Amino acid sequence: MVYTISGIRFPVFPSLHNLSFRGDRRTASLPVFLRNNSFSRKTLAVKSSHDSDSLSSAIAESDKVLIPQDQDNSASLTDQLETPDITSEDAQNLEDLTMEDEDKYNISEAASGYRQIEDGQGSVVSSLVDVSIPAKKMSVSVGRKAKIVSDEVKPKIIPPPGAGQKIYEIDPSLLAHREHLDFRYGQYKRLRYEIDKHEGGLDTFSRGYEKFGFQRSATGITYREWAPGAKSAALIGDFNNWNPNADVMTKNEFGVWEIFLPNNVDGSPPIPHGSRVKIRMDTPSGIKDSIPAWIKFSVQAPGEIPYSGIYYDPPEEEKYVFKHPLPKRPKSLRIYESHIGMSSPEPKINTYVNFRDDVLPRIKRLGYNAVQIMAIQEHSYYASFGYHVTNFFAPSSRFGTPEELKSLIDRAHELGLLVLMDIVHSHASNNTLDGLNMFDGTDGHYFHPGSRGYHWMWDSRLFNYGSWEVLRYLLSNSRWWLDEYKFDGFRFDGVTSMMYTHHGLEVAFTGNYNEYFGFATDVDAVIYLMLTNDVIHGLFPEAVTIGEDVSGMPTFCLPTQDGGVGFDYRLHMAIADKWIEILKKNDEDWKMGDIVHTLTNRRWLEKCVAYAESHDQALVGDKTIAFWLMDKDMYDFMALDRPSTPIIDRGIALHKMIRLITMGLGGEGYLNFMGNEFGHPEWIDFPRGDQHLPTGVIVPGNNNSFDKCRRRFDLGDADYLRYRGMQEFDQAMQHLEEKFGFMTAEHQYISRKNEGDKIIVFERGNLIFVFNFHWNNSYSDYRVGCSTPGKYKIVLDSDDALFGGFSRLNHTAEYFTSEGWYDDRPRSFLIYAPSRTAVVYALADDVEPTLADEAEPALADEAEPEPVDP
């Protein structure tokens, strides 16, 4: 009996008890892969001082794994990775070489532990300098010989650490915390050095998925797993009828369990594609069946609670072949945040294929240039929104197969869209059946032991970023999604929780630098973030990294070579919180200065992604901006065939203004959660049953309903509903940014924040933005300052009838500047500023003629009168 899930065909799970091995698949070969001397092993001698609660950049010998070679490899991986012992002769030889060839090479020390070697043509090859020997002497690993790279071939490399001092030039306030920052950078450089020395560099270190887990070769399959706490281990699955005595694994001195399964007699693989697999271990906590930590796919069979790992190795003809090149990184990011499962208008779990065919074209049409996808990593609990990850290398099987996900990403690239993954390295599910928790029966395997390894608010486990093998696992995980699936970058979730031992819980960050650089900082975690940014940006130069940090950590978005953490963008999380705070107030209590300060309060040279609301505000227990503004009136008064209400009129007007001013002032990137562009009603509530707490309290569920776990795109498309106007405005806003690139324009000047008039005026690039937040007052002949002389025209008007407005402005009018200082600007022009309206003006020379302009040019007497001071 067989059944199929997400394209994977496998048999019904037999009983796990009283099984005997049946069949003659490879009985004769059994002693071969059980012999301990089948593999080449070599012990690393590393001096260490490590415990779980100390800074762990010093490498613990017990945490280090030297991976043995595969059966059919011609050279041992040990030989590739291991650096020879340093000798004075080695150092002297290199010194002699540099002195003899000083005309050919220019050697300059870039940082402690590293040097840069330049050839006569300017090609740079980095080489290690042993920090424990005199500065003039250094060793070079035999496996890392310097190669002169021609101009024609420029391989992607991870550059060595820099001096790490430029951060003090950018922000002199950091000098007061130089001891902490220099210590952090010194630990980072030391770890880079140790990885280069013992693993062959970050490039090799971040390819753990090529050695751990299941590795197919011409002669069979090798399976490796790091589980030092286990007493015994065996590979079980459909392929051996789940017999724990059939495929017993061997353990090396570094805690790595291993087995080699030779091909069947007919040459077929010993484990068929689609077979379910697990590792059975005798652990300090008892016998445990676990999904392999490096599994590439896992599924939940119908009627079963636990997931099963899937040996995923489709035949060549079934593998997806990418057809389209990756798009270049845009200058400004306009991100459409999305979730595959809830992306259908129907109450169901949507698929990769449907998202590819139905949602991606919508995103492109709306004018976004990037899609950020949540819940890709496998998570047993659907209602966790994908944030309680159980299988870090496996795409969620709820939505389809890995090949279907690849086809989705390829289609996005065809449309010119970047695909960003919402990656979770801040914590892991506490699920012991399906995930990493208690994987080898110990509390401190991948995580900190005890209370430090538990997040009390998220009910999840916290990684030990000072562990050598945890670093290998997470760095490889970042690279895996870029290498295998061609993602264009990441939004790293929960970074604030990573960087502080208090995880940002019950802490109010005031901006005092003492809050960032002290004993509450988890230096190990910060160094991991620096390393992963090194890997991503070194090997994938066009990739984008965004960090979800609410603390405002200084140096967060500065390059690691300069001493920064290395992210490209920080999520400007304070903006969404500020809008919720403001929406709870009466209109007359809105402070223009407060709005502007929150939107512009970001660090110099550190880019931000701004958003008015994300998925967080849409979850049950919170409200979207549209729902805060219009509440229950949305149920009855959004149809155009019935009269509106003052609440609806106010809500639609402010919804548009809030989004435009957030994009206009908030950062160098912009994010919107799917559906919120048209004011999606209600909230997100994942299907869930009643929850019975240990205390006896019953938390009622929603009868496992999908009704509020979907996106009603049909509402935004319906031309008979008012949602359509908000969607049209959001689309116009995105296309305006595409044309003018105002989010990344160097010029930005806020000329007016008038609390009485409730007016905000600012310049970004050559555009003039005017916001009138007054609930009642409209202003004629209102003077606004500007810097560039000429004729201006309206390029975006939130009061346009197309956007659900009242059409109070003449779009054919032309606005001429007059000389003279006004609001600290050398010139100005007069406008009409309707209440609750946002208008964007551009120089007429920068505006392409519209059909309306060509068919009915503006008459001279329709132009604004000569400017007069109000």
Side-chain angles (χ1 to χ4, degrees), residues 125-161:
V125 179
S126 64
S127 177
L128 279 168
V129 182
D130 190 309
V131 295
S132 66
I133 59 178
K136 288 187 178 180
K137 296 185 178 182
M138 52 185 155
S139 69
V140 176
S141 167
V142 172
R144 300 180 66 246
K145 293 180 180 177
K147 295 180 180 179
I148 306 304
V149 181
S150 67
D151 292 338
E152 291 78 14
V153 180
K154 294 184 178 179
K156 298 171 184 176
I157 61 169
I158 302 173

mmCIF file of all heavy atoms in Angstrom, residues 125-161:
data_model
loop_
_atom_site.group_PDB
_atom_site.id
_atom_site.type_symbol
_atom_site.label_atom_id
_atom_site.label_comp_id
_atom_site.label_asym_id
_atom_site.label_seq_id
_atom_site.Cartn_x
_atom_site.Cartn_y
_atom_site.Cartn_z
ATOM 1 N N VAL A 125 45.586 38.295 -3.101
ATOM 2 C CA VAL A 125 45.381 36.973 -2.533
ATOM 3 C C VAL A 125 45.604 37.097 -1.041
ATOM 4 O O VAL A 125 46.658 37.543 -0.596
ATOM 5 C CB VAL A 125 46.372 35.944 -3.125
ATOM 6 C CG1 VAL A 125 46.137 34.581 -2.496
ATOM 7 C CG2 VAL A 125 46.212 35.871 -4.633
ATOM 8 N N SER A 126 44.609 36.737 -0.241
ATOM 9 C CA SER A 126 44.771 36.837 1.203
ATOM 10 C C SER A 126 45.496 35.615 1.731
ATOM 11 O O SER A 126 45.318 34.513 1.239
ATOM 12 C CB SER A 126 43.409 36.956 1.874
ATOM 13 O OG SER A 126 42.663 35.786 1.667
ATOM 14 N N SER A 127 46.314 35.809 2.730
ATOM 15 C CA SER A 127 47.045 34.701 3.321
ATOM 16 C C SER A 127 47.057 34.865 4.826
ATOM 17 O O SER A 127 47.112 35.976 5.342
ATOM 18 C CB SER A 127 48.478 34.670 2.794
ATOM 19 O OG SER A 127 49.215 33.634 3.405
ATOM 20 N N LEU A 128 46.973 33.746 5.519
ATOM 21 C CA LEU A 128 46.992 33.780 6.972
ATOM 22 C C LEU A 128 48.348 34.160 7.522
ATOM 23 O O LEU A 128 49.377 33.775 6.987
ATOM 24 C CB LEU A 128 46.606 32.406 7.512
ATOM 25 C CG LEU A 128 45.110 32.108 7.554
ATOM 26 C CD1 LEU A 128 44.913 30.636 7.832
ATOM 27 C CD2 LEU A 128 44.467 32.939 8.630
ATOM 28 N N VAL A 129 48.326 34.894 8.597
ATOM 29 C CA VAL A 129 49.528 35.165 9.370
ATOM 30 C C VAL A 129 49.304 34.574 10.743
ATOM 31 O O VAL A 129 48.317 34.899 11.397
ATOM 32 C CB VAL A 129 49.776 36.679 9.509
ATOM 33 C CG1 VAL A 129 51.055 36.921 10.284
ATOM 34 C CG2 VAL A 129 49.848 37.329 8.149
ATOM 35 N N ASP A 130 50.152 33.682 11.179
ATOM 36 C CA ASP A 130 49.973 33.081 12.496
ATOM 37 C C ASP A 130 50.231 34.142 13.556
ATOM 38 O O ASP A 130 51.313 34.706 13.637
ATOM 39 C CB ASP A 130 50.932 31.902 12.669
ATOM 40 C CG ASP A 130 50.599 31.113 13.923
ATOM 41 O OD1 ASP A 130 50.481 31.753 14.983
ATOM 42 O OD2 ASP A 130 50.463 29.889 13.830
ATOM 43 N N VAL A 131 49.229 34.400 14.377
ATOM 44 C CA VAL A 131 49.355 35.468 15.367
ATOM 45 C C VAL A 131 50.237 35.074 16.541
ATOM 46 O O VAL A 131 50.553 35.906 17.377
ATOM 47 C CB VAL A 131 47.959 35.870 15.887
ATOM 48 C CG1 VAL A 131 47.147 36.477 14.778
ATOM 49 C CG2 VAL A 131 47.239 34.664 16.483
ATOM 50 N N SER A 132 50.610 33.785 16.611
ATOM 51 C CA SER A 132 51.401 33.338 17.758
ATOM 52 C C SER A 132 52.904 33.386 17.501
ATOM 53 O O SER A 132 53.682 33.062 18.376
ATOM 54 C CB SER A 132 51.004 31.907 18.130
ATOM 55 O OG SER A 132 51.359 31.019 17.100
ATOM 56 N N ILE A 133 53.326 33.764 16.274
ATOM 57 C CA ILE A 133 54.750 33.819 15.956
ATOM 58 C C ILE A 133 55.112 35.247 15.623
ATOM 59 O O ILE A 133 54.242 36.090 15.413
ATOM 60 C CB ILE A 133 55.090 32.884 14.777
ATOM 61 C CG1 ILE A 133 54.290 33.283 13.517
ATOM 62 C CG2 ILE A 133 54.807 31.444 15.119
ATOM 63 C CD1 ILE A 133 54.608 32.433 12.304
ATOM 64 N N PRO A 134 56.397 35.568 15.578
ATOM 65 C CA PRO A 134 56.795 36.954 15.283
ATOM 66 C C PRO A 134 56.168 37.458 13.996
ATOM 67 O O PRO A 134 55.910 36.701 13.063
ATOM 68 C CB PRO A 134 58.326 36.852 15.155
ATOM 69 C CG PRO A 134 58.695 35.683 16.015
ATOM 70 C CD PRO A 134 57.555 34.712 15.881
ATOM 71 N N ALA A 135 55.961 38.761 13.958
ATOM 72 C CA ALA A 135 55.218 39.365 12.859
ATOM 73 C C ALA A 135 55.841 39.094 11.506
ATOM 74 O O ALA A 135 55.153 39.026 10.502
ATOM 75 C CB ALA A 135 55.089 40.867 13.088
ATOM 76 N N LYS A 136 57.159 38.929 11.454
ATOM 77 C CA LYS A 136 57.814 38.733 10.166
ATOM 78 C C LYS A 136 57.685 37.313 9.644
ATOM 79 O O LYS A 136 58.029 37.031 8.512
ATOM 80 C CB LYS A 136 59.303 39.096 10.266
ATOM 81 C CG LYS A 136 59.549 40.596 10.395
ATOM 82 C CD LYS A 136 61.025 40.886 10.315
ATOM 83 C CE LYS A 136 61.297 42.381 10.382
ATOM 84 N NZ LYS A 136 62.739 42.678 10.292
ATOM 85 N N LYS A 137 57.239 36.386 10.518
ATOM 86 C CA LYS A 137 57.154 34.998 10.110
ATOM 87 C C LYS A 137 55.707 34.576 10.042
ATOM 88 O O LYS A 137 54.935 34.859 10.933
ATOM 89 C CB LYS A 137 57.897 34.111 11.103
ATOM 90 C CG LYS A 137 59.394 34.401 11.142
ATOM 91 C CD LYS A 137 60.111 33.434 12.048
ATOM 92 C CE LYS A 137 61.614 33.690 12.044
ATOM 93 N NZ LYS A 137 62.312 32.718 12.880
ATOM 94 N N MET A 138 55.350 33.859 8.970
ATOM 95 C CA MET A 138 53.976 33.392 8.840
ATOM 96 C C MET A 138 53.962 32.075 8.101
ATOM 97 O O MET A 138 54.897 31.720 7.395
ATOM 98 C CB MET A 138 53.116 34.416 8.117
ATOM 99 C CG MET A 138 53.652 34.916 6.795
ATOM 100 S SD MET A 138 52.605 36.209 6.141
ATOM 101 C CE MET A 138 53.773 37.064 5.106
ATOM 102 N N SER A 139 52.867 31.331 8.321
ATOM 103 C CA SER A 139 52.736 30.024 7.687
ATOM 104 C C SER A 139 51.642 30.068 6.662
ATOM 105 O O SER A 139 50.671 30.793 6.803
ATOM 106 C CB SER A 139 52.419 28.951 8.734
ATOM 107 O OG SER A 139 51.118 29.143 9.229
ATOM 108 N N VAL A 140 51.781 29.269 5.624
ATOM 109 C CA VAL A 140 50.753 29.148 4.600
ATOM 110 C C VAL A 140 50.350 27.697 4.510
ATOM 111 O O VAL A 140 51.208 26.822 4.387
ATOM 112 C CB VAL A 140 51.259 29.638 3.233
ATOM 113 C CG1 VAL A 140 50.195 29.411 2.170
ATOM 114 C CG2 VAL A 140 51.610 31.108 3.305
ATOM 115 N N SER A 141 49.062 27.424 4.607
ATOM 116 C CA SER A 141 48.580 26.054 4.503
ATOM 117 C C SER A 141 48.896 25.489 3.134
ATOM 118 O O SER A 141 48.752 26.160 2.125
ATOM 119 C CB SER A 141 47.064 26.022 4.734
ATOM 120 O OG SER A 141 46.548 24.779 4.343
ATOM 121 N N VAL A 142 49.319 24.213 3.112
ATOM 122 C CA VAL A 142 49.602 23.556 1.836
ATOM 123 C C VAL A 142 48.361 23.532 0.967
ATOM 124 O O VAL A 142 48.417 23.650 -0.251
ATOM 125 C CB VAL A 142 50.111 22.116 2.085
ATOM 126 C CG1 VAL A 142 50.229 21.349 0.770
ATOM 127 C CG2 VAL A 142 51.450 22.152 2.804
ATOM 128 N N GLY A 143 47.195 23.383 1.629
ATOM 129 C CA GLY A 143 45.944 23.312 0.868
ATOM 130 C C GLY A 143 45.425 24.653 0.430
ATOM 131 O O GLY A 143 44.379 24.732 -0.185
ATOM 132 N N ARG A 144 46.111 25.744 0.787
ATOM 133 C CA ARG A 144 45.610 27.071 0.445
ATOM 134 C C ARG A 144 46.717 27.853 -0.243
ATOM 135 O O ARG A 144 47.084 28.950 0.155
ATOM 136 C CB ARG A 144 45.134 27.811 1.689
ATOM 137 C CG ARG A 144 44.027 27.101 2.400
ATOM 138 C CD ARG A 144 43.565 27.866 3.629
ATOM 139 N NE ARG A 144 42.958 29.125 3.260
ATOM 140 C CZ ARG A 144 43.469 30.314 3.558
ATOM 141 N NH1 ARG A 144 44.583 30.409 4.201
ATOM 142 N NH2 ARG A 144 42.844 31.417 3.204
ATOM 143 N N LYS A 145 47.321 27.278 -1.280
ATOM 144 C CA LYS A 145 48.418 27.944 -1.986
ATOM 145 C C LYS A 145 47.919 29.174 -2.704
ATOM 146 O O LYS A 145 46.833 29.202 -3.259
ATOM 147 C CB LYS A 145 49.032 26.978 -2.981
ATOM 148 C CG LYS A 145 49.765 25.799 -2.314
ATOM 149 C CD LYS A 145 50.355 24.859 -3.344
ATOM 150 C CE LYS A 145 51.073 23.703 -2.673
ATOM 151 N NZ LYS A 145 51.599 22.747 -3.657
ATOM 152 N N ALA A 146 48.730 30.214 -2.681
ATOM 153 C CA ALA A 146 48.358 31.454 -3.343
ATOM 154 C C ALA A 146 48.285 31.243 -4.845
ATOM 155 O O ALA A 146 49.141 30.602 -5.440
ATOM 156 C CB ALA A 146 49.379 32.547 -3.018
ATOM 157 N N LYS A 147 47.243 31.793 -5.449
ATOM 158 C CA LYS A 147 47.084 31.713 -6.893
ATOM 159 C C LYS A 147 46.863 33.114 -7.437
ATOM 160 O O LYS A 147 46.096 33.881 -6.889
ATOM 161 C CB LYS A 147 45.884 30.830 -7.269
ATOM 162 C CG LYS A 147 46.065 29.364 -6.879
ATOM 163 C CD LYS A 147 44.842 28.546 -7.282
ATOM 164 C CE LYS A 147 45.013 27.089 -6.887
ATOM 165 N NZ LYS A 147 43.817 26.279 -7.246
ATOM 166 N N ILE A 148 47.536 33.425 -8.505
ATOM 167 C CA ILE A 148 47.349 34.720 -9.141
ATOM 168 C C ILE A 148 46.137 34.618 -10.057
ATOM 169 O O ILE A 148 46.081 33.795 -10.953
ATOM 170 C CB ILE A 148 48.598 35.122 -9.943
ATOM 171 C CG1 ILE A 148 49.826 35.066 -9.032
ATOM 172 C CG2 ILE A 148 48.423 36.505 -10.541
ATOM 173 C CD1 ILE A 148 49.712 35.904 -7.781
ATOM 174 N N VAL A 149 45.170 35.473 -9.788
ATOM 175 C CA VAL A 149 43.918 35.419 -10.535
ATOM 176 C C VAL A 149 43.995 36.383 -11.703
ATOM 177 O O VAL A 149 44.340 37.552 -11.537
ATOM 178 C CB VAL A 149 42.732 35.797 -9.622
ATOM 179 C CG1 VAL A 149 41.437 35.714 -10.403
ATOM 180 C CG2 VAL A 149 42.692 34.868 -8.424
ATOM 181 N N SER A 150 43.667 35.892 -12.873
ATOM 182 C CA SER A 150 43.722 36.741 -14.054
ATOM 183 C C SER A 150 42.573 37.724 -14.046
ATOM 184 O O SER A 150 41.590 37.552 -13.343
ATOM 185 C CB SER A 150 43.640 35.875 -15.318
ATOM 186 O OG SER A 150 42.369 35.274 -15.427
ATOM 187 N N ASP A 151 42.689 38.766 -14.838
ATOM 188 C CA ASP A 151 41.640 39.768 -14.923
ATOM 189 C C ASP A 151 40.359 39.176 -15.503
ATOM 190 O O ASP A 151 39.265 39.635 -15.235
ATOM 191 C CB ASP A 151 42.111 40.947 -15.782
ATOM 192 C CG ASP A 151 43.218 41.724 -15.101
ATOM 193 O OD1 ASP A 151 43.330 41.647 -13.864
ATOM 194 O OD2 ASP A 151 43.972 42.403 -15.825
ATOM 195 N N GLU A 152 40.524 38.137 -16.343
ATOM 196 C CA GLU A 152 39.346 37.569 -16.995
ATOM 197 C C GLU A 152 38.490 36.770 -16.021
ATOM 198 O O GLU A 152 37.291 36.721 -16.127
ATOM 199 C CB GLU A 152 39.768 36.657 -18.162
ATOM 200 C CG GLU A 152 40.377 37.391 -19.352
ATOM 201 C CD GLU A 152 41.821 37.778 -19.098
ATOM 202 O OE1 GLU A 152 42.431 37.257 -18.142
ATOM 203 O OE2 GLU A 152 42.347 38.618 -19.869
ATOM 204 N N VAL A 153 39.135 36.092 -15.063
ATOM 205 C CA VAL A 153 38.412 35.241 -14.126
ATOM 206 C C VAL A 153 38.539 35.841 -12.733
ATOM 207 O O VAL A 153 39.639 35.944 -12.202
ATOM 208 C CB VAL A 153 38.973 33.806 -14.138
ATOM 209 C CG1 VAL A 153 38.195 32.943 -13.158
ATOM 210 C CG2 VAL A 153 38.910 33.237 -15.540
ATOM 211 N N LYS A 154 37.434 36.247 -12.165
ATOM 212 C CA LYS A 154 37.434 36.820 -10.824
ATOM 213 C C LYS A 154 36.503 35.997 -9.942
ATOM 214 O O LYS A 154 35.306 36.274 -9.862
ATOM 215 C CB LYS A 154 36.994 38.284 -10.861
ATOM 216 C CG LYS A 154 37.970 39.184 -11.594
ATOM 217 C CD LYS A 154 37.569 40.635 -11.532
ATOM 218 C CE LYS A 154 38.587 41.512 -12.229
ATOM 219 N NZ LYS A 154 38.215 42.942 -12.206
ATOM 220 N N PRO A 155 37.023 34.944 -9.318
ATOM 221 C CA PRO A 155 36.167 34.096 -8.496
ATOM 222 C C PRO A 155 35.641 34.863 -7.290
ATOM 223 O O PRO A 155 36.269 35.813 -6.820
ATOM 224 C CB PRO A 155 37.105 32.964 -8.067
ATOM 225 C CG PRO A 155 38.475 33.551 -8.151
ATOM 226 C CD PRO A 155 38.430 34.515 -9.292
ATOM 227 N N LYS A 156 34.475 34.432 -6.815
ATOM 228 C CA LYS A 156 33.900 35.053 -5.632
ATOM 229 C C LYS A 156 34.684 34.596 -4.418
ATOM 230 O O LYS A 156 34.883 33.403 -4.208
ATOM 231 C CB LYS A 156 32.432 34.664 -5.509
ATOM 232 C CG LYS A 156 31.586 35.132 -6.679
ATOM 233 C CD LYS A 156 30.195 34.543 -6.608
ATOM 234 C CE LYS A 156 29.380 34.944 -7.833
ATOM 235 N NZ LYS A 156 28.044 34.299 -7.849
ATOM 236 N N ILE A 157 35.134 35.537 -3.642
ATOM 237 C CA ILE A 157 35.917 35.208 -2.457
ATOM 238 C C ILE A 157 35.339 35.927 -1.252
ATOM 239 O O ILE A 157 34.670 36.952 -1.383
ATOM 240 C CB ILE A 157 37.401 35.597 -2.632
ATOM 241 C CG1 ILE A 157 37.523 37.110 -2.864
ATOM 242 C CG2 ILE A 157 38.052 34.822 -3.753
ATOM 243 C CD1 ILE A 157 38.951 37.621 -2.783
ATOM 244 N N ILE A 158 35.594 35.354 -0.094
ATOM 245 C CA ILE A 158 35.230 35.998 1.160
ATOM 246 C C ILE A 158 36.453 36.785 1.611
ATOM 247 O O ILE A 158 37.474 36.189 1.955
ATOM 248 C CB ILE A 158 34.818 34.960 2.206
ATOM 249 C CG1 ILE A 158 33.640 34.126 1.688
ATOM 250 C CG2 ILE A 158 34.464 35.636 3.519
ATOM 251 C CD1 ILE A 158 33.271 32.962 2.574
ATOM 252 N N PRO A 159 36.394 38.099 1.587
ATOM 253 C CA PRO A 159 37.589 38.878 1.915
ATOM 254 C C PRO A 159 37.991 38.681 3.368
ATOM 255 O O PRO A 159 37.150 38.371 4.218
ATOM 256 C CB PRO A 159 37.148 40.323 1.642
ATOM 257 C CG PRO A 159 35.663 40.304 1.742
ATOM 258 C CD PRO A 159 35.228 38.959 1.273
ATOM 259 N N PRO A 160 39.269 38.848 3.666
ATOM 260 C CA PRO A 160 39.716 38.720 5.059
ATOM 261 C C PRO A 160 39.216 39.887 5.890
ATOM 262 O O PRO A 160 38.759 40.903 5.346
ATOM 263 C CB PRO A 160 41.241 38.757 4.919
ATOM 264 C CG PRO A 160 41.479 39.561 3.681
ATOM 265 C CD PRO A 160 40.360 39.202 2.748
ATOM 266 N N PRO A 161 39.263 39.766 7.209
ATOM 267 C CA PRO A 161 38.866 40.901 8.050
ATOM 268 C C PRO A 161 39.710 42.133 7.765
ATOM 269 O O PRO A 161 40.865 42.027 7.355
ATOM 270 C CB PRO A 161 39.102 40.390 9.472
ATOM 271 C CG PRO A 161 39.078 38.909 9.360
ATOM 272 C CD PRO A 161 39.651 38.592 7.997
#
